[in-house]
Amino acid sequence: MTATLHDDSVFSKPEAPENSWQLLYWIVFEPVLLERYSEKLNKKQTLSVFLKAYCCVVLIALAIYLVGCFVIAAADTPTLFSTHYETEFVDNYRMLTGFEQKFFFIVQKSIVELAVGLAGGLAVGLVFGLASGLASGLAFGLAFWLAFGLAVGLAFGLASGLTNGLTNGLASGLASGLTNGLTNGLSSGLAVGLGFYFSYFRLCFYPLYSIRSLFGVNFYASPYHKDAMIWLPLWGVEKQFRRLALATPEDALKFVRFLREYRPLQSKLADCIAHAACAGTWLNHPLAFESLEPPLIENDKLQPSDNWLKQLQALKGRLVAYRQQMQLSLKQEYFQRFLKQLDAFNAQTLVEHKRWRDEYLQALALWQKVALEEQQKLAEQAQQQEPITANVYMSGEALRPDTNYKVFLGRDDLKDELARRIYSSQQMPLFLFQGQRRVGKTSLLNFLEQLLVDGFKVVYQDLQGARVSSIQTWLADLQARISEKLSLPAKFAVDDFLNDDWLTAWQRFETWLQTLSLDNSYKLILAFDEYEELHRLLQANPEQGARLLAAM
């Protein structure tokens, strides 16, 4: 591709027209830009810009008018279609012999109506322009001129038709103008109506754009770059864009942003390309969990289903869990879970909207192929590697996942053994971590959810914290932490527990805990740091402590 095709300037539009001619171009092809520009002008600026633009309109009208008169004189239509003209006009016309005499005669007879139409258009445009803005003024001014000023006789019919072609589509204007000149009454009105709708939906340009699209489009050159008023879809263009988006998703996303900002009629096209660009990212980065993000879609009909989005997040979670494992046997186990989720996600994609699913299916097919190769590599490594893990020890302050993930090293054998025991147990077991200070007990609890990742939620509580000063505050704080972890509303306040004895407080907490409707996709782990602190709290009332332990 040439450098022009990669020029990002095609994705931006000027905020103001360079001159009056470009302003008239905006009336036809860039109404969004015209509306934005109009909103920035005050009444004085609107008047100045409108008058300059209308001078160009006058020049265009005169040129079209003279061409129309030339065509009438050359075709000798007053003689051929005399019944459509006034008798006096036809009689005077037939007395003329030369082409120049006929031409100037037609000009002389109809110039007044042209001037009236232009003057009326100017007046109407000024009224609406100063009241509603530049865009409205130009639109109403041109409409008045086209409807009134150039609607008398064949000359004006043809001139009106050509000028309509500048604003509403050439084919529509010609049909309207020629019919106005050749017929009157019902046939004229019908032609005008059909011509309006023909031009309103851009049917006059549709064949040109369609032929242009047959020779190929890309994200830097297409009919959509030049025209903001393409109502009907261009045949085959969406498929071309979707195919290109798979190969160059970055360019596709630039084009999507361009469509959404400057081409509001192409919102569905932008969403389809956004889907394809997302699939292209997956295709270019297989087994990379960073790329597993859903696209931003604006149209409701092209939104992925909730099941698709949920399974996508689950797929990402499985892949993240696999990447974080260090022990080979656990990597194999987690990768098997990822493969199952990948198959389930692929099956869900098959039932999604056919307008955007195909590109994802191509990407997922590659992911499945690469995943099988990854699985084979893991199997080969398992055959060659002995099940021995280095015991790297590091002492210091308690580490946290949000700040110390890269330095959480040491005792990989303990982490792997803990994960293995938890995953292999039918019921959640009770574990006691004992050891000297600074050996990593608290760090292990802090990273417990990161180690397990899939299928577990960990509620951490430091029993030496300031919020735990008695059995009642321990239960109140624990209930609050569980509610926060599960995004549940707070059920009790601390005072609710303080008013009870230990056994009643426990019964209150236990009843609440049993009423929780936990999601079957995970298990809840309560992790107590400095658990021996409970011994000191129980010693405050040995009798109540014994009853509490029995109930627990």
Side-chain angles (χ1 to χ4, degrees), residues 42-323:
N42 56 37
K43 290 186 176 182
K44 182 178 180 180
Q45 293 172 327
T46 299
L47 177 61
S48 175
V49 173
F50 177 84
L51 292 176
K52 291 179 181 179
Y54 206 76
C55 290
C56 298
V57 172
V58 172
L59 294 177
I60 295 173
L62 288 174
I64 296 174
Y65 167 72
L66 293 175
V67 171
C69 293
F70 179 87
V71 171
I72 293 172
D76 204 19
T77 56
T79 301
L80 297 176
F81 304 99
S82 58
T83 58
H84 295 285
Y85 293 87
E86 294 181 358
T87 303
E88 182 181 357
F89 176 85
V90 175
D91 293 340
N92 293 332
Y93 180 82
R94 286 176 175 174
M95 295 175 61
L96 304 174
T97 56
F99 171 79
E100 293 183 359
Q101 291 180 340
K102 294 180 179 180
F103 173 75
F104 285 109
F105 175 76
I106 295 172
V107 171
Q108 179 184 2
K109 288 295 182 179
S110 54
I111 192 66
V112 175
E113 285 81 0
L114 175 64
V116 171
L118 289 173
L122 176 62
V124 173
L126 286 175
V127 172
F128 283 96
L130 295 177
S132 304
L134 178 63
S136 299
L138 286 172
F140 282 105
L142 292 178
F144 181 90
W145 165 51
L146 295 174
F148 175 79
L150 301 178
V152 180
L154 179 58
F156 299 102
L158 182 59
S160 174
L162 291 174
T163 311
N164 265 314
L166 292 175
T167 56
N168 293 324
L170 182 60
S172 167
L174 286 175
S176 170
L178 289 175
T179 308
N180 274 326
L182 296 175
T183 63
N184 293 308
L186 180 62
S187 60
S188 175
L190 181 62
V192 172
L194 293 177
F196 168 77
Y197 287 106
F198 187 82
S199 61
Y200 182 77
F201 291 105
R202 315 298 284 178
L203 296 180
C204 48
F205 297 110
Y206 187 81
L208 299 176
Y209 292 154
S210 298
I211 294 174
R212 162 69 179 84
S213 302
L214 292 177
F215 294 95
V217 296
N218 58 68
F219 297 125
Y220 293 86
S222 73
Y224 297 107
H225 288 82
K226 302 296 183 181
D227 194 345
M229 298 302 293
I230 302 178
W231 286 84
L232 302 180
L234 300 176
W235 184 79
V237 169
E238 181 182 311
K239 290 185 178 179
Q240 294 185 55
F241 280 137
R242 287 163 59 181
R243 184 173 62 253
L244 290 171
L246 281 177
T248 57
E250 295 82 5
D251 292 341
L253 292 177
K254 294 179 184 178
F255 185 59
V256 167
R257 289 191 290 269
F258 168 79
L259 292 179
R260 287 175 174 166
E261 182 174 2
Y262 299 109
R263 303 295 184 254
L265 295 178
Q266 311 307 325
S267 60
K268 290 185 179 180
L269 175 63
D271 286 343
C272 289
I273 299 175
H275 273 299
C278 179
T281 302
W282 296 5
L283 193 66
N284 296 334
H285 302 88
L287 301 189
F289 66 85
E290 298 89 348
S291 66
L292 287 177
E293 292 294 336
L296 178 62
I297 303 300
E298 296 182 349
N299 192 280
D300 292 338
K301 292 183 178 180
L302 297 177
Q303 284 281 4
S305 66
D306 292 339
N307 287 336
W308 191 86
L309 295 173
K310 183 177 180 180
Q311 292 212 29
L312 175 61
Q313 293 304 315
L315 181 69
K316 183 177 181 179
R318 295 285 197 277
L319 189 55
V320 170
Y322 161 70
R323 295 297 188 194

Side-chain angles (χ1 to χ4, degrees), residues 246-513:
L246 281 177
T248 57
E250 295 82 5
D251 292 341
L253 292 177
K254 294 179 184 178
F255 185 59
V256 167
R257 289 191 290 269
F258 168 79
L259 292 179
R260 287 175 174 166
E261 182 174 2
Y262 299 109
R263 303 295 184 254
L265 295 178
Q266 311 307 325
S267 60
K268 290 185 179 180
L269 175 63
D271 286 343
C272 289
I273 299 175
H275 273 299
C278 179
T281 302
W282 296 5
L283 193 66
N284 296 334
H285 302 88
L287 301 189
F289 66 85
E290 298 89 348
S291 66
L292 287 177
E293 292 294 336
L296 178 62
I297 303 300
E298 296 182 349
N299 192 280
D300 292 338
K301 292 183 178 180
L302 297 177
Q303 284 281 4
S305 66
D306 292 339
N307 287 336
W308 191 86
L309 295 173
K310 183 177 180 180
Q311 292 212 29
L312 175 61
Q313 293 304 315
L315 181 69
K316 183 177 181 179
R318 295 285 197 277
L319 189 55
V320 170
Y322 161 70
R323 295 297 188 194
Q324 291 182 350
Q325 299 308 309
M326 302 300 295
Q327 189 186 43
L328 186 56
S329 60
L330 285 177
K331 286 176 70 72
Q332 288 181 301
E333 180 179 345
Y334 275 90
F335 197 72
Q336 286 295 331
R337 297 185 179 196
F338 167 74
L339 288 176
K340 291 181 180 179
Q341 183 60 40
L342 182 60
D343 292 337
F345 182 63
N346 186 73
Q348 178 62 39
T349 305
L350 281 170
V351 301
E352 294 293 324
H353 200 295
K354 62 181 180 181
R355 193 169 178 181
W356 57 263
R357 71 185 181 192
D358 292 343
E359 286 74 27
Y360 288 110
L361 292 175
Q362 294 183 46
L364 293 176
L366 177 64
W367 276 53
Q368 289 176 319
K369 178 181 178 181
V370 175
L372 292 177
E373 295 175 354
E374 182 86 1
Q375 185 183 31
Q376 181 63 30
K377 292 179 181 179
L378 291 175
E380 293 175 357
Q381 293 176 10
Q383 293 178 354
Q384 300 174 1
Q385 180 176 324
E386 295 185 13
I388 300 177
T389 303
N391 185 3
V392 183
Y393 180 79
M394 178 178 178
S395 62
E397 297 294 331
L399 305 179
R400 297 186 177 278
D402 54 345
T403 56
N404 309 115
Y405 183 81
K406 294 184 178 180
V407 297
F408 181 54
L409 305 171
R411 299 308 305 267
D412 288 340
D413 55 342
L414 178 59
K415 294 185 296 182
D416 296 338
E417 180 66 18
L418 176 62
R420 186 187 305 279
R421 287 180 178 270
I422 291 177
Y423 276 114
S424 61
S425 299
Q426 294 296 327
Q427 300 292 333
M428 277 300 300
L430 173 66
F431 292 99
L432 299 179
F433 299 160
Q434 291 183 318
Q436 297 179 353
R437 297 176 60 84
R438 308 304 184 194
V439 297
K441 301 186 300 297
T442 301
S443 298
L444 184 59
L445 291 181
N446 288 340
F447 278 83
L448 187 57
E449 188 167 332
Q450 299 291 324
L451 297 174
L452 301 174
V453 180
D454 181 47
F456 294 92
K457 292 184 181 294
V458 179
V459 176
Y460 172 83
Q461 185 186 40
D462 183 4
L463 295 180
Q464 285 187 342
R467 292 160 60 177
V468 178
S469 58
S470 64
I471 295 296
Q472 292 97 327
T473 56
W474 164 56
L475 294 174
D477 180 62
L478 182 58
Q479 188 271 339
R481 291 177 183 274
I482 295 175
S483 298
E484 180 180 1
K485 185 68 178 180
L486 302 182
S487 300
L488 300 174
K491 180 68 174 178
F492 304 109
V494 176
D495 293 341
D496 295 330
F497 288 95
L498 292 178
N499 294 331
D500 299 329
D501 57 27
W502 294 359
L503 188 59
T504 303
W506 168 256
Q507 290 174 344
R508 181 191 298 273
F509 173 78
E510 182 183 33
T511 301
W512 171 80
L513 194 62

